[in-house]
Amino acid sequence: MAKRTDINKILLIGSGPIIIGQAAEFDYSGTQGAKALKEEGYEVILVNSNPATIMTDPEIADKTYIEPLTTKILEKIIQKERPDALLPTLGGQTSLNLAIGLYEKGILDKYNVKMIGANYEAIKKAEDRELFKQAMEKIGLKMPKSAVVKTMAEAVEIMDWIGFPVIIRPSFTLGGTGGSIAYNADEFISKVKSGLEASPISEVLLEESVIGWKEFEMEVMRDKNDNCVIICSIENFDPMGVHTGDSITIAPAMTLTDKEYQMLRDYSIAVIREIGVETGGSNVQFSQNPETGEFYVIEMNPRVSRSSALASKATGFPIAKIAAKLAVGYTLDELPNDITKETPASFEPTIDYIVTKIPRFDFAKFPEADQTLTTMMKSVGEVMAIGRTFKESFQKALRSLELGKYGFYAKLENASDEEIKEKIIRPTPERVWYIAEAFRRGYTIDEVHQMSHIDKWFLNQIKEIIDLEKEIASKTLGTIDADLLEKAKQWGFSDRELARLLKTSEEKIREKRIDVSYKVVDTCAAEFKAFTPYYYSSYESLVGKVEEDGSIKLYRDSEN
Amino acid sequence: MKKKVIILGSGPNRIGQGVEFDYACVHCVWALREEGYEAIMVNCNPETVSTDYDTSDKLFFEPIVYEDVVNIIESEKPVGVVVQFGGQTPLKLAVPLQNAGINILGTSPESIDIAEDRERFRDLIIQLDLKQPESGIAKSKEEAVLIAEKIGYPVLVRPSYVLGGRAMRLVYDTAELLEYIEEAVYVTEDKPLLIDKFLEDAVELDVDAVSDGEDVLVGAVMEHIEEAGIHSGDSATCIPPYTLEDQLIEKVKEHTKKLARALNVYGLMNVQFAVKDDEIYVIEVNPRASRTVPFVSKAIGYPLAKIASKIIVGKKLKEIVPEVFEIKEKHPASDFVSKEFKRYSIKEVVFPWTRFPNVDPLLGPEMKSTGEVMGIDKDFGLAFYKAQSAAGQDLPEEGNVFISVADKDKPKIIQMAKDLQNLGFKIYATKGTYNFLKENGVDAVLTSKLSEERPNIVDKIRNGEIQLIINTPSGKRERSDAYYIRRAAVMHKVPYFTTVRGAYAAVEAIKSYKEKGLDVMAIQDMNL
């Protein structure tokens, strides 16, 4: 075992109050990290201003400071505690920014605190646009074409090189004010002009638009011996243009060919190596041109992120815990997988189910706010659901949202066709229900794809659900046969939805339908025995077992 | 075989139901495991500690709706289900689950219903000889006007049936009431309007207590920094109360205990009170974990949710925390600590204003905050300073303060303005406030409103010439100067306060900070 012995005391910084874009996932990762480090015998000093967290419970760290997260306060804590190391990658962007601040102000050097996990250079390289672009060029990966211009003449010169549509972002304006998209040369001139005016230093960033492209994320981990593993691939149901945090996402990626998946795997590993995250997890985002299949790198987070919390829950692989152990010198092959106890953490998780994440919004509290989903995150929470099929997983996630909707039905019968179209073209939190309604009205997959740019595979799945819904609605509780009811449950229809379609009560459906089965999340698709009792429900088909007397017993397997 | 208990989680985070409830659920899981039960967690939120498979004995990653929950119960056959820690999500299921013959552990759904049903709750208050603000239920527009006039303005109005968006509003006169009814709600026989007397300028209190059916211990009496009218989830809160007499706080504790016994609470309970002219009014009772439970637990050093969880599986407070019963002289604001306890804990909240550029960044009766922070210090001012700093508002030590307040607030700011001047700040004001300050002997610099000559006040904020803003709303919601001032403050990160009490606390904080500076201390080193 190669645990570092040159450090004893480790400082962890939490992510502060829950804000949009930085929520409870960092309590999960920080708590895991602190527990993992303590388990290894290190003294853990924790700072977080948020009392509503498990990580700030007195038993989690050795010393817990519920103090403001500012460099001034952190310096006082460092001065008092004299930690040997700072692990900045488990507390979101807040923690990373504070680590950068402490480094740049010379405070880490002054008190001889080493950064572990990701060092200053790696963080800078991942966060600085220009440095990141250069790094990607170096390893031959493409990014959306972009350039910074200070005059109209410069802008016009590169207009054709970037092509249309082009995104115009004025530099140093607050909250993205003055940003716009130009679809043609005329618009380009006027929008660049107002962008330059909006920017206090008269500068705009021109960027090739990838709106409508497909979007993927890869969770990758690396150890100090340069071993890399991919924990999970995630595909966004909503195409580029909607922030990942506001997108419905699916794990694993559904619409990649194996060849494409292997490419993304290689790219992700190349990115984490080039950026130089020495140990720990990173999240790399890609977009894919649906016409040509070409991939662009969008960004990488050199830290544990919202997506890694999701990936951990989706696979059973505890990214934050492993990241903490890698940071103190372990390698992936030295760390056992808690779930199987037999396999090491260097085994990439395999999953035999589908995971759907849907964000939860709270616009009711802000009636004046624009509900259009854009590149600025607006959701306040999320749900995840696990199913054996995409359909089951997705429908379970819909009812998990607690919006009074138990599937794809949202009382939209009276919506006009214009409204349906408008709500499919312009992404809002209700888009999936409008898509379902469009299929009820006979819209084709091509039509909905044209409006939404959502991949046709996803749309086809929803259409199949609606087609089955129609079939069920033509029956009654008395006339529906067992096979159809079983199929409906396997496709994730809730009892409530079935009761609505069959004009009966939830209780009556419950009496008639098959029993649920529980399956284990085991990181290995049942290749090894699982020791952790982490379950999800599904509806199994009947299997037969030959009894001693030669008779066959039929049953539905459940693992709980 | 260990007995099984199922704990229902809080589902997706949303405004009003956040990470605090996951914290309480995790504590419940830990407590039940300690007591020898097999703790089974059900939740569908991937962001949380409760859905870490390391937390519970068994984790079911499932929707928290009737169908999926009953499936798990039928399959696992637990001795009971816990619904009091996950907020409204599991609470909504309490009655349906009980009707299905499932054992709900802790406070009964019947008690929860008494607390939530207006009529039944009113009867209880009368029976216990406590006070509530006057209220009424209007089934028509005409009735609403009659009731409001009888109770007397201002009144808080809200539809009994809320369908997204516009809900509660503070109304100052009949014209405003009619306007609200016209634009926001339908008032009908089956969707009546709820009308409550609004206790203007009252001090609001929150109390978290834990009860085992015999003993009731008050975790803490908290005083809201902002005056009545601000949602308790959006109010900054202080433990212990900082402006009230000990005698009154003791009375609040008594009232809380009366309510806990009457409602037969097993586990946690939260009560909200308002104090006006030394009268104590009960605003609301929730016999379940509240969002302040983690904050209180950290302030007093006792994990309330864990204690409550042990109660609901049959333990008594005297067994769980015997030492608490030994305390000779208890603190007026908490049964868990002695009179010697000298520390202020202040909770402050954060808002998503920067994400929503068209929204007025103003506190009101609807909750809008997404998260919270805590500041701890022996000095009230420093605790408030830390809480502000943690929430992203570093209070200034010097510079210019812009003051613009509603007429009703003007007399209350004279002392504050003088204090600010003594601290070395220069005061800027627009005409109304400027004239008022002048008449009362406070020097100020006249600055122009948005409609007057430029540079106006918003220009000054944008140019970094204003370091602190005190701006209270006049009551009516409108796109006035005040709106643009508040938006500019948010976008340029200038600390601003929209209540008089909040502003006073800020002045206190600046004073303490300038005199003493900040110090840090680990919670493990705090001498409880």
Side-chain angles (χ1 to χ4, degrees):
Chain A
M1 287 279 178
K3 184 169 84 183
R4 279 177 81 157
T5 51
D6 59 326
I7 50 178
N8 296 309
K9 243 187 201 190
I10 302 173
L11 177 65
L12 274 184
I13 306 174
S15 65
I18 304 294
I19 54 173
I20 290 176
Q22 208 166 263
E25 63 270 15
F26 296 110
D27 186 25
Y28 163 65
S29 56
T31 303
Q32 268 201 351
K35 277 161 67 181
L37 295 175
K38 258 177 92 167
E39 204 174 278
E40 294 301 331
Y42 295 99
E43 191 178 343
V44 178
I45 313 298
L46 177 88
V47 192
N48 193 0
S49 55
N50 185 349
T53 50
I54 291 295
M55 71 194 291
T56 55
D57 262 11
E59 306 84 49
I60 301 292
D62 294 287
K63 287 284 171 70
T64 311
Y65 287 86
I66 302 181
E67 299 283 359
L69 294 173
T70 62
T71 46
K72 210 159 66 182
I73 292 284
L74 283 164
E75 180 171 9
K76 280 182 192 289
I77 294 168
I78 290 171
Q79 193 180 16
K80 199 167 166 181
E81 294 288 346
R82 304 303 294 253
D84 304 306
L86 163 63
L87 178 55
T89 52
L90 303 183
Q93 198 59 36
T94 298
S95 166
L96 219 50
N97 289 349
L98 285 164
I100 290 179
L102 290 168
Y103 179 89
E104 287 179 348
K105 286 184 177 147
I107 295 167
L108 295 184
D109 276 347
K110 183 174 165 194
Y111 296 97
N112 199 15
V113 185
K114 301 176 201 63
M115 249 201 249
I116 56 174
N119 61 27
Y120 176 76
E121 287 71 29
I123 299 171
K124 268 292 179 201
K125 222 166 163 181
E127 307 249 306
D128 183 291
R129 273 198 92 76
E130 229 10 76
L131 293 176
F132 186 66
K133 205 167 133 184
Q134 286 166 16
M136 293 305 102
E137 267 166 25
K138 198 175 151 204
I139 52 172
L141 296 184
K142 286 190 179 159
M143 289 187 67
K145 283 177 254 175
S146 68
V148 170
V149 297
K150 288 185 153 292
T151 63
M152 183 56 77
E154 284 172 22
V156 171
E157 209 169 291
I158 61 157
M159 179 174 80
D160 289 335
W161 171 70
I162 290 187
F164 289 103
V166 56
I167 297 174
I168 299 149
R169 299 183 207 272
S171 304
F172 295 101
T173 61
L174 292 162
T177 36
S180 56
I181 301 178
Y183 290 89
N184 58 50
D186 288 351
E187 277 181 9
F188 183 81
I189 303 290
S190 69
K191 286 180 174 173
V192 169
K193 185 163 175 279
S194 54
L196 288 168
E197 279 165 9
S199 168
I201 57 162
S202 184
E203 180 186 288
V204 296
L205 172 77
L206 301 176
E207 193 180 65
E208 176 187 4
S209 165
V210 288
I211 286 177
W213 287 27
K214 291 162 68 165
E215 187 172 359
F216 299 91
E217 291 174 77
M218 300 290 273
E219 289 300 318
V220 56
M221 293 197 86
R222 183 185 187 212
D223 69 18
K224 65 166 194 219
N225 289 351
D226 204 18
N227 299 309
C228 294
V229 285
I230 303 293
I231 306 306
C232 190
S233 63
I234 301 174
E235 177 163 1
N236 287 23
F237 173 92
D238 297 286
M240 290 292 293
V242 176
H243 191 283
T244 312
D246 284 355
S247 292
I248 296 172
T249 62
I250 317 294
M254 292 281 103
T255 70
L256 288 175
T257 62
D258 184 53
K259 199 174 153 194
E260 288 171 328
Y261 173 76
Q262 297 305 335
M263 278 162 69
L264 286 192
R265 202 176 169 280
D266 291 346
Y267 293 167
S268 308
I269 293 171
V271 171
I272 196 171
R273 284 182 175 149
E274 177 56 32
I275 295 302
V277 174
E278 290 168 319
T279 65
S282 290
N283 155 271
V284 192
Q285 290 171 28
F286 296 94
S287 66
Q288 186 189 31
N289 183 329
E291 308 299 326
T292 63
E294 180 183 33
F295 285 109
Y296 277 1
V297 179
I298 300 300
E299 64 172 47
M300 89 94 83
N301 288 306
R303 57 173 170 87
V304 162
S305 64
R306 183 182 331 99
S307 297
S308 51
L310 182 74
S312 295
K313 302 290 165 74
T315 59
F317 188 103
I319 294 176
K321 178 180 175 174
I322 301 293
K325 297 213 172 181
L326 298 180
V328 294
Y330 286 104
T331 53
L332 286 161
D333 54 298
E334 289 174 332
L335 297 169
N337 177 325
D338 298 335
I339 292 187
T340 63
K341 295 189 177 165
E342 258 183 73
T343 56
S346 51
F347 270 46
E348 292 190 349
T350 311
I351 62 182
D352 52 359
Y353 47 80
I354 311 286
V355 172
T356 303
K357 175 215 86 176
I358 306 184
R360 160 95 190 213
F361 298 85
D362 218 341
F363 284 113
K365 291 283 180 356
F366 304 99
E368 307 94 335
D370 177 9
Q371 302 196 7
T372 310
L373 305 183
T374 64
T375 48
M376 183 169 67
M377 185 170 159
K378 293 172 179 171
S379 62
V380 294
E382 62 190 31
V383 298
M384 180 183 111
I386 312 175
R388 304 216 83 193
T389 61
F390 172 81
K391 295 182 178 87
E392 182 181 45
S393 163
F394 206 102
Q395 296 221 69
K396 277 173 84 175
L398 289 176
R399 67 178 183 267
S400 297
L401 285 168
E402 284 176 64
L403 294 171
K405 296 169 188 136
Y406 292 82
F408 276 103
Y409 177 69
K411 300 192 183 104
L412 295 175
E413 302 88 322
N414 297 326
S416 66
D417 267 3
E418 281 66 44
E419 184 186 340
I420 300 276
K421 282 182 190 159
E422 198 266 333
K423 290 283 178 83
I424 294 175
I425 293 169
R426 182 172 67 93
T428 66
E430 279 86 41
R431 179 152 76 174
V432 286
W433 288 286
Y434 281 91
I435 289 173
E437 183 61 23
F439 288 134
R440 270 183 212 110
R441 294 183 188 191
Y443 283 57
T444 64
I445 289 170
D446 282 335
E447 283 169 327
V448 177
H449 173 74
Q450 273 292 315
M451 292 187 276
S452 65
H453 299 287
I454 293 170
D455 191 90
K456 289 180 191 172
W457 187 86
F458 292 126
L459 296 175
N460 189 50
Q461 293 285 316
I462 297 176
K463 185 166 185 299
E464 284 177 2
I465 289 172
I466 301 305
D467 289 345
L468 191 70
E469 179 188 290
K470 286 181 180 164
E471 191 185 338
I472 296 165
S474 70
K475 315 271 184 198
T476 67
L477 189 67
T479 62
I480 189 166
D481 62 61
D483 284 351
L484 183 56
L485 200 53
E486 180 171 328
K487 185 174 175 188
K489 290 310 287 180
Q490 286 171 344
W491 283 22
F493 279 85
S494 64
D495 290 353
R496 285 270 285 247
E497 265 298 280
L498 291 173
R500 180 182 68 83
L501 296 169
L502 297 169
K503 297 180 187 62
T504 178
S505 71
E506 186 176 349
E507 279 310 312
K508 289 259 162 46
I509 297 290
R510 189 173 188 87
E511 284 163 23
K512 189 161 180 175
R513 68 155 162 85
I514 58 171
D515 282 341
V516 74
S517 297
Y518 290 98
K519 312 295 291 175
V520 182
V521 172
D522 64 1
T523 72
C524 60
E527 189 179 346
F528 300 93
K529 184 172 160 41
F531 290 89
T532 26
Y534 171 9
Y535 302 101
Y536 65 96
S537 67
S538 189
Y539 287 87
E540 284 288 290
S541 301
L542 279 175
V543 289
K545 186 175 146 196
V546 183
E547 300 282 302
E548 275 186 17
D549 62 2
S551 66
I552 293 171
K553 186 188 160 201
L554 291 174
Y555 68 106
R556 294 177 205 275
D557 190 34
S558 191
E559 300 173 19
N560 65 319
Chain B
M1 269 273 275
K2 284 181 179 174
K3 287 182 187 163
K4 295 176 176 179
V5 173
I6 288 181
I7 299 104
L8 299 182
S10 58
N13 284 354
R14 64 210 85 161
I15 288 171
Q17 189 169 307
V19 63
E20 312 84 62
F21 294 97
D22 196 66
Y23 164 93
C25 289
V26 170
H27 273 257
C28 179
V29 167
W30 287 347
L32 295 180
R33 291 181 79 170
E34 270 176 36
E35 292 302 311
Y37 288 83
E38 182 176 325
I40 301 171
M41 185 72 217
V42 184
N43 200 3
C44 57
N45 183 344
E47 303 171 307
T48 58
V49 178
S50 71
T51 54
D52 185 342
Y53 60 77
D54 256 358
T55 299
S56 52
D57 291 302
K58 273 188 179 177
L59 167 65
F60 285 84
F61 213 108
E62 291 286 288
I64 306 175
V65 299
Y66 181 81
E67 169 183 351
D68 301 273
V69 169
V70 173
N71 283 348
I72 298 167
I73 293 169
E74 284 179 354
S75 178
E76 289 289 330
K77 303 184 179 57
V79 295
V81 177
V82 181
V83 297
Q84 65 170 265
F85 296 106
Q88 282 300 328
T89 300
L91 218 57
K92 278 189 308 214
L93 294 176
V95 172
L97 290 178
Q98 197 177 44
N99 291 343
I102 292 154
N103 181 27
I104 303 294
L105 295 173
T107 310
S108 70
E110 169 71 5
S111 295
I112 297 169
D113 187 63
I114 296 176
E116 287 190 346
D117 184 290
R118 275 171 84 91
E119 299 295 325
R120 297 185 73 182
F121 187 64
R122 181 154 47 193
D123 292 344
L124 178 76
I125 292 291
I126 293 166
Q127 183 199 321
L128 295 176
D129 202 21
L130 301 177
K131 277 205 181 74
Q132 243 190 325
E134 266 190 85
S135 64
I137 300 176
K139 289 174 178 157
S140 67
K141 195 159 81 178
E142 295 70 28
E143 206 182 344
V145 174
L146 278 175
I147 292 172
E149 283 173 355
K150 183 180 143 260
I151 293 175
Y153 290 99
V155 291
L156 262 179
V157 286
R158 77 195 121 131
S160 58
Y161 178 79
V162 183
L163 229 182
R166 313 198 156 226
M168 202 184 296
R169 174 105 58 104
L170 186 53
V171 168
Y172 283 86
D173 53 42
T174 302
E176 249 190 285
L177 176 65
L178 290 172
E179 188 196 346
Y180 169 78
I181 294 174
E182 302 279 315
E183 72 177 48
V185 288
Y186 298 100
V187 182
T188 59
E189 194 72 26
D190 57 334
K191 289 173 189 164
L193 190 70
L194 309 179
I195 303 174
D196 286 292
K197 169 83 184 162
F198 176 65
L199 301 168
E200 212 166 12
D201 291 331
V203 174
E204 288 203 327
L205 301 172
D206 249 86
V207 183
D208 279 323
V210 58
S211 162
D212 64 10
E214 288 166 22
D215 290 303
V216 185
L217 293 177
V218 167
V221 178
M222 298 161 255
E223 178 173 346
H224 291 192
I225 304 281
E226 285 82 12
E227 42 275 76
I230 310 301
H231 190 285
S232 70
D234 280 357
S235 220
T237 299
C238 183
I239 299 174
Y242 67 107
T243 69
L244 301 175
E245 300 287 332
D246 286 357
Q247 225 180 343
L248 190 131
I249 302 168
E250 295 281 6
K251 240 165 116 183
V252 166
K253 262 164 66 174
E254 279 313 305
H255 289 4
T256 305
K257 289 176 185 183
K258 260 189 185 174
L259 285 161
R261 292 201 176 95
L263 286 168
N264 210 4
V265 171
Y266 281 84
L268 285 164
M269 179 178 79
N270 170 269
V271 191
Q272 282 167 35
F273 294 99
V275 176
K276 185 169 177 161
D277 304 327
D278 284 337
E279 289 284 355
I280 301 168
Y281 298 86
V282 180
I283 305 294
E284 203 179 301
V285 175
N286 289 298
R288 58 174 172 91
S290 72
R291 78 174 65 78
T292 42
V293 160
F295 166 65
V296 174
S297 300
K298 269 150 199 170
I300 62 169
Y302 277 91
L304 293 184
K306 219 168 158 181
I307 294 168
S309 304
K310 294 188 174 187
I311 289 170
I312 63 178
V313 291
K315 278 217 163 173
K316 293 289 174 198
L317 280 164
K318 286 198 172 100
E319 299 170 73
I320 307 168
V321 284
E323 72 281 11
V324 169
F325 290 86
E326 305 288 309
I327 299 171
K328 291 249 156 46
E329 280 187 288
K330 291 191 186 264
H331 195 282
S334 170
D335 290 335
F336 287 85
V337 293
S338 86
K339 224 175 162 175
E340 306 307 311
F341 180 87
K342 297 261 185 292
R343 202 166 58 228
Y344 288 94
S345 290
I346 293 177
K347 182 201 86 174
E348 182 54 286
V349 296
V350 296
F351 296 92
W353 307 131
T354 53
R355 303 259 159 185
F356 302 120
N358 299 318
V359 172
D360 193 348
L362 189 58
L363 302 177
E366 284 273 1
M367 183 164 166
K368 290 174 175 168
S369 61
T370 56
E372 66 189 75
V373 293
M374 178 173 181
I376 312 170
D377 204 281
K378 286 205 177 80
D379 178 279
F380 169 81
L382 287 179
F384 192 75
Y385 185 92
K386 280 185 177 180
Q388 294 304 312
S389 173
Q393 289 210 118
D394 265 326
L395 296 176
E397 290 173 67
E398 55 185 15
N400 302 327
V401 184
F402 173 68
I403 304 180
S404 164
V405 295
D407 286 341
K408 68 179 172 63
D409 292 328
K410 287 198 167 77
K412 297 181 233 163
I413 58 154
I414 301 168
Q415 189 55 44
M416 185 192 328
K418 286 180 180 165
D419 289 349
L420 280 165
Q421 273 180 340
N422 290 337
L423 286 166
F425 287 88
K426 203 176 200 181
I427 292 167
Y428 282 67
T430 50
K431 209 156 210 162
T433 308
Y434 171 83
N435 287 339
F436 179 83
L437 287 172
K438 275 272 173 193
E439 285 161 21
N440 288 281
V442 183
D443 265 345
V445 181
L446 179 66
T447 180
S448 52
K449 292 181 176 176
L450 232 64
S451 52
E452 298 166 0
E453 62 171 342
R454 298 184 74 167
N456 57 41
I457 179 57
V458 172
D459 294 320
K460 286 199 163 68
I461 295 169
R462 290 191 178 143
N463 292 335
E465 292 167 39
I466 301 291
Q467 281 68 44
L468 180 67
I469 297 167
I470 294 162
N471 170 237
T472 66
S474 56
K476 297 194 180 186
R477 278 194 200 184
E478 54 200 30
R479 288 282 145 119
S480 59
D481 274 27
Y483 165 78
Y484 293 99
I485 290 168
R486 289 189 288 265
R487 275 311 317 180
V490 165
M491 297 317 281
H492 294 267
K493 298 191 167 64
V494 182
Y496 76 110
F497 293 87
T498 60
T499 65
V500 172
R501 277 171 57 94
Y504 263 102
V507 174
E508 195 64 35
I510 293 169
K511 202 190 285 173
S512 290
Y513 179 69
K514 289 185 79 165
E515 279 170 17
K516 301 171 190 163
L518 287 184
D519 201 10
V520 295
M521 191 180 273
I523 56 171
Q524 289 86 354
D525 296 337
M526 286 176 184
N527 189 4
L528 294 164

